[in-house]
Structures are given as structure tokens and as C-alpha cells.
Amino acid sequence: MHDVAIIRGDGIGPEISDAAQSVLEASGAEIRWHDAPAGMAAMPRFQTALPWSSLEIMHRLGVVLKAPLIAERCSGGVTVEADGETRHHPSVNNALRRELSLFVNVRPVRGVGRLSGRYASLDAVIMREVTEDMYCGIERQVDDDTAEAVKRITGRASRRIARFSCDYAMRFGRGKITAIHKANVLHLTDGLFLKSVRSVVEGYPGLEFDEQAIDAACYLLVKKPEMFDVMVLPNQYGDIISDLAAGLAGSLGLAPGANIGERCAMFEAAHGAAPDIAGQGAANPIGLILSGALLLDHIGEGAAARRVRAGVSEVLSDGRFLTPDLGGSCTTAALAQAICAAMDVVSV
């Protein structure tokens, strides 16, 4: 029995959480769920978007399935109080990453048959460093017409994500690491990132290494996606290229993700809470379902993860059970049921 914390989220979060839970439970893995309220759903009861009681559950269990949160409504920041200390974070998503010490966002991007068109063969993993770069939130108003933001890069964080990426590549049979940067302009910051990644990959002789400037990488991802396998990026570039790759695959609703640290891992879809369609049964749950497959890999349930991916692939290839973002009219719950049914018949 695996104990997993779940953040059911805002907007479409509860709907896609129900769908993902039903699929993971049908995969053969035994999971005991523990609710960890966060976001707008936590406000009425706890008067904060991230109660310490929820963080305690996540810290204790070390594995979290997270539906999307309405981050913009917490734009004033999130305060976490624990052990007599008060910590302030710019958003609830940022607070979760910092409080759980998560340092890498893992975004596998894979083409899906006819839905992906010419990008059906796309198969890459984006590794985004999430603790520093421009998203540190260090800004200042110089004068009425000028503002500045700090881009912070450290060798320690860059080497850490490089090691994680190389170990991931070796574990899952991937052969190439590509460092994405803009060191030709940002000689010190991106230069340090590139140098750090390069030094780590040298210790993995079984892996091929490549480096691309961010603008060239975007072009090549569109023109020659087969060039990429595992892509390692600083925070801001990783944020941008993740959505680009999801668009090439066919829909942001298909994109899974994970934020992983030394002691805790949080699995979440790439998209937002979409409050405009909440409660309509129109949300695509596949991003969160495939994030659940990553969770199953993480807890050692590889066979169950393969069944989930095979069920999703079968349903998408069949084409009869597609949500509106994929050109169909299937409901969230009906799509989950179709995936559960497909898992009973596909072989892995």
C-alpha cells in the first residue's frame, strides 16, 4: 500500500483529480490517498492558501499528486507559519516548490498519433531548474521609467539538475543530454550554467552531449524534433519551451509533469486551473493522469505506469473519447472510464 498526498486543486482541479484517481486505482497499484488542501479551496477553512497541516502531510509522505491551483488570486503572496517562523512566498505554487525543496521540473513530451500530426514521433524530456534564474523574484524599481530583475545562476544548482538529468537518462534508457542556454550573450550566468552541465555530463561516458542556444533550440524543436532527447534548461527557458513542446504534441491538456527534490516529489499537469470551464465536465484529465503514471514510476510501480500509458495511448488512437480541447465532445469522467476499460485489454 502506497500513501500519497493529494491536492485536489481549484477550478477544474477536483474533476480531473477524480479522473486521475480512478485511473491510478485501476492500474493495479494500491494507493491510500491523504487530502492536503491548498489554493483557494483551503482559504475558507484555514485563511491561507497553504496551511502548515497540509505541508506536514506532504513532508511526511514524500509523494504528492497535485491538481492545478488558481495562483493569480494569491498574487499578494502566501505566508507559511511554522515553528515560530514566518516565511513569505510570491505565490502558492512557488511556496510549494520552496517548502518541499523541489529543484527540478520534469516534463516528458511525446507525440500522440494523428493528434500530433507531423510531431507524432516527438519524444523528449524537458528538465527545468526551478529554484533560481529570473524567477527568484528579485526585482526593484530604479525610477519611474526603469525596473530591474536579477538573473541568479549558481554552479551548485546547475550541477544538481545536470546530475539528476544524467541519472534519469541512464535509468530510462535515453542517450543524449542537450544543455539549452544563451551563453553567447549572458556570458557569466548562462555561461556558468553551460559550463556546469558540461562538467557533469563528462562523468557519464555513455551519454552523448550537445548544447544549443535557446532561440536555435526553439527553431530546431519545431523543424527537427528528433534532435532532442533530454533537454536541460534554466528556469525561464524551461518554462517557455515546455509549453512550446506541449503545443507541438497537440494540446497542453496532454502534458504531464513532476517537481522533484531530494526528499519529496510532486506530480502535476502542465496546464492551469481553467476556472472558465470548471464544473462543465469538459476538462481534459490526461495531463494529470500521465503525471500519475510518472508518480507510479517514482514509487516503483513501473508495470502499473506502463498500463496507464498504454490505456491512454489506446484511447487517443481510437479517437472516440476525446474532450473538446482535442476536437471531441467526451466528458472528463467518460474519458477516464474509457482509459480504465482500455487498461483491461491492452498488453504492455
Side-chain angles (χ1 to χ4, degrees):
M1 180 68 70
H2 301 279
D3 290 289
V4 176
I6 182 165
I7 299 173
R8 294 178 54 76
D10 304 317
I12 61 172
E15 299 164 70
I16 64 173
S17 293
D18 287 344
Q21 286 179 274
S22 67
V23 172
L24 297 188
E25 289 165 0
S27 72
E30 295 187 8
I31 297 176
R32 181 164 47 220
W33 302 98
H34 299 257
D35 282 324
M40 299 308 298
M43 293 295 291
R45 180 179 173 189
F46 299 98
Q47 289 75 56
T48 177
L50 189 54
W52 180 247
S53 58
S54 293
L55 279 170
E56 281 187 315
I57 292 171
M58 292 181 250
H59 278 297
R60 175 166 54 85
L61 301 182
V63 185
V64 185
L65 183 68
K66 172 186 172 288
L69 302 173
I70 301 179
E72 61 270 21
R73 293 193 183 176
C74 301
S75 58
V78 173
T79 297
V80 175
E81 298 183 4
D83 302 323
E85 182 182 357
T86 299
R87 294 184 289 272
H88 187 77
H89 305 286
S91 71
V92 64
N93 289 319
N94 181 280
L96 281 163
R97 288 194 295 269
R98 291 185 183 181
E99 292 291 333
L100 298 176
S101 300
L102 310 177
F103 67 84
V104 56
N105 178 232
V106 182
R107 291 272 184 90
V109 185
R110 182 171 295 173
V112 186
R114 63 180 183 82
L115 290 173
S116 302
R118 60 171 294 207
Y119 297 102
S121 61
L122 175 62
D123 184 8
V125 180
I126 297 166
M127 299 290 190
R128 170 190 168 195
E129 206 288 328
V130 294
T131 69
E132 51 184 28
D133 195 21
M134 297 294 289
Y135 292 1
C136 286
I138 304 173
E139 297 182 284
R140 74 183 184 102
Q141 191 77 41
V142 178
D143 55 42
D144 289 344
D145 197 46
T146 307
E148 293 179 340
V150 173
K151 178 182 176 74
R152 175 171 289 171
I153 298 290
T154 67
R156 180 190 63 84
S158 301
R159 290 188 295 272
R160 180 173 60 182
I161 190 177
R163 283 192 297 271
F164 179 92
S165 301
C166 290
D167 290 341
Y168 181 100
M170 298 296 290
R171 177 185 175 190
F172 291 102
R174 292 181 173 271
K176 181 180 178 182
I177 302 289
T178 300
I180 310 295
H181 63 92
K182 195 61 177 174
N184 55 322
V185 175
L186 299 167
H187 306 292
L188 297 180
T189 51
D190 280 23
L192 176 59
F193 176 82
L194 179 58
K195 176 184 176 181
S196 300
V197 174
R198 187 188 294 137
S199 69
V200 170
V201 181
E202 287 174 353
Y204 292 78
L207 294 176
E208 181 183 351
F209 179 69
D210 184 25
E211 52 192 63
Q212 295 288 343
I214 180 61
D215 46 344
C218 289
Y219 174 83
L220 292 170
L221 188 61
V222 172
K223 298 295 286 186
K224 297 180 180 179
E226 66 277 3
M227 288 185 57
F228 297 101
D229 193 354
V230 177
M231 307 167 71
V232 187
L233 306 95
N235 205 341
Q236 187 178 44
Y237 305 152
D239 190 10
I240 295 167
I241 213 164
S242 293
D243 282 11
L244 168 63
L248 298 180
S251 171
L252 198 60
L254 300 174
N259 284 286
I260 297 176
E262 300 291 346
R263 296 182 178 84
C264 193
M266 184 170 67
F267 300 85
E268 58 184 314
H271 58 77
D276 56 317
I277 61 169
Q280 299 176 22
N284 184 348
I286 289 179
L288 192 60
I289 289 170
L290 291 177
S291 299
L294 295 176
L295 185 156
L296 292 173
D297 281 328
H298 181 78
I299 62 176
E301 293 283 358
R306 289 190 291 274
R307 281 193 289 274
V308 170
R309 294 189 181 101
V312 169
S313 180
E314 177 68 18
V315 168
L316 291 177
S317 297
D318 178 88
R320 289 180 298 162
F321 300 95
L322 301 179
T323 44
D325 64 306
L326 301 176
S329 58
C330 183
T331 66
T332 307
L335 176 54
Q337 292 169 3
I339 293 171
C340 290
M343 286 193 296
D344 289 336
V345 298
V346 295
S347 58
V348 294

